[in-house]
């Protein structure tokens, strides 16, 4: 059985939140493991579409992309229609060829700020990768190397400012903590008394073999 199959089943059972779609946010600090977790969860969901916010943000718009996301993605999904968005090329510093996003039963939106205030009314569930900022950023810098050190300096300052004004973690339904093997799922602070009834108080999931 896939390590995240129980969580996947619970997400499928949620009421739609964005038209016919159950929109699931995977938020957390840069370098916290959001992309890897979202990829594994998407597989457990039977190949659910994943929208990476790195495709919506840009060099001049680290966190001011809400309107573009709403117009290109949320509005079509609310109508049960295929969405089209132009992914940003961080090397060429320009928008790429439009990419489709289907109104699947479950769609994951992954990236820093996925649980922001403006998006929460459209979310069926907010998952937070529960790794502190300093440790996340250290991982990210180590992953990207010294060539992107200047970029990371600007990014971390912008991220800290964003979460100071619009924190996601206090509203998370589920906290996801990466273990040496697999993940631990905990009820998030955004649920009543800090208990997420979609997971046990302390649920550990290990990767499938």
């Amino acid at each position: 059985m896939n390590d995240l199959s129980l969580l996947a089943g619970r997400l499928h059972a949620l009421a739609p939140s964005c038209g016919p779609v159950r929109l699931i946010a995977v938020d957390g600090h840069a370098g916290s493991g959001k992309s890897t977790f979202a990829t594994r969860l998407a597989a457990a969901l039977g190949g659910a579409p994943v929208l990476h916010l790195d495709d919506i943000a840009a060099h001049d718009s680290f966190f001011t992309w809400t309107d573009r996301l709403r117009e290109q993605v949320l509005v079509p999904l609310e109508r049960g229609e295929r969405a089209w968005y132009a992914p940003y090329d961080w090397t060429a510093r320009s928008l790429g060829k439009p990419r489709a996003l289907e109104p699947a039963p479950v769609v994951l939106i992954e990236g820093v700020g996925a649980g922001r205030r403006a998006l929460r009314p459209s979310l069926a569930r907010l998952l937070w990768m529960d790794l502190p900022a300093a440790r996340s950023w250290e991982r990210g810098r180590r992953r990207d190397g010294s060539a992107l050190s200047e970029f990371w300096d600007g990014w971390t300052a912008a991220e800290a400012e964003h979460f100071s004004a619009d924190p996601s973690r206090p509203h998370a339904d589920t906290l996801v903590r990466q273990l040496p093997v697999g993940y631990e799922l905990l009820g998030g602070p955004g649920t009543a008394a800090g208990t997420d009834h979609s997971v046990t108080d302390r649920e550990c999931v290990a990767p499938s073999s």
Side-chain angles (χ1 to χ4, degrees), residues 23-96:
L23 192 62
I24 310 298
V26 180
D27 202 343
H29 298 289
S32 61
K34 297 180 302 301
S35 297
T36 298
F37 178 79
T39 297
R40 293 176 177 173
L41 180 56
L45 287 162
V50 181
L51 174 66
H52 300 283
L53 287 178
D54 282 351
D55 290 334
I56 302 297
H59 279 93
D60 60 350
S61 182
F62 282 168
F63 294 103
T64 56
W65 39 256
T66 303
D67 288 343
R68 189 162 92 89
L69 179 69
R70 180 180 293 112
E71 294 167 6
Q72 296 186 359
V73 176
L74 298 185
V75 170
L77 292 184
E78 287 170 355
R79 296 195 295 252
E81 299 173 357
R82 175 185 296 148
W84 291 91
Y85 64 96
Y88 182 70
D89 186 324
W90 289 83
T91 301
R93 296 188 176 227
S94 62
L95 296 178

Side-chain angles (χ1 to χ4, degrees), residues 3-184:
D3 60 316
L4 293 173
S5 59
L6 291 177
L7 175 60
R10 291 164 182 147
L11 297 181
H12 269 299
L14 294 172
S17 60
C18 184
V21 174
R22 295 152 186 82
L23 192 62
I24 310 298
V26 180
D27 202 343
H29 298 289
S32 61
K34 297 180 302 301
S35 297
T36 298
F37 178 79
T39 297
R40 293 176 177 173
L41 180 56
L45 287 162
V50 181
L51 174 66
H52 300 283
L53 287 178
D54 282 351
D55 290 334
I56 302 297
H59 279 93
D60 60 350
S61 182
F62 282 168
F63 294 103
T64 56
W65 39 256
T66 303
D67 288 343
R68 189 162 92 89
L69 179 69
R70 180 180 293 112
E71 294 167 6
Q72 296 186 359
V73 176
L74 298 185
V75 170
L77 292 184
E78 287 170 355
R79 296 195 295 252
E81 299 173 357
R82 175 185 296 148
W84 291 91
Y85 64 96
Y88 182 70
D89 186 324
W90 289 83
T91 301
R93 296 188 176 227
S94 62
L95 296 178
K97 182 178 179 181
R99 185 177 297 167
L101 184 70
E102 300 294 338
V106 180
V107 173
L108 303 181
I109 176 170
E110 170 276 317
V112 180
R116 61 174 44 188
R117 183 182 304 111
L119 301 187
R120 287 197 289 272
S122 298
L123 300 179
R125 185 57 50 99
L126 170 54
L127 312 180
W128 174 266
M129 301 302 296
D130 205 32
L131 188 69
R135 290 177 58 193
S136 297
W137 296 340
E138 180 184 5
R139 281 177 31 160
R141 286 178 182 271
R142 186 167 60 247
R143 176 195 65 201
D144 293 343
S146 59
L148 291 179
S149 179
E150 184 176 351
F151 171 82
W152 269 94
D153 290 343
W155 173 272
T156 54
E159 182 182 309
E161 181 179 0
H162 166 72
F163 280 134
S164 176
D166 190 357
S168 295
R169 190 184 186 281
H171 304 278
D173 302 293
T174 304
L175 302 180
V176 182
R177 294 178 181 172
Q178 189 171 1
L179 303 173
V181 178
Y183 298 91
E184 178 184 34

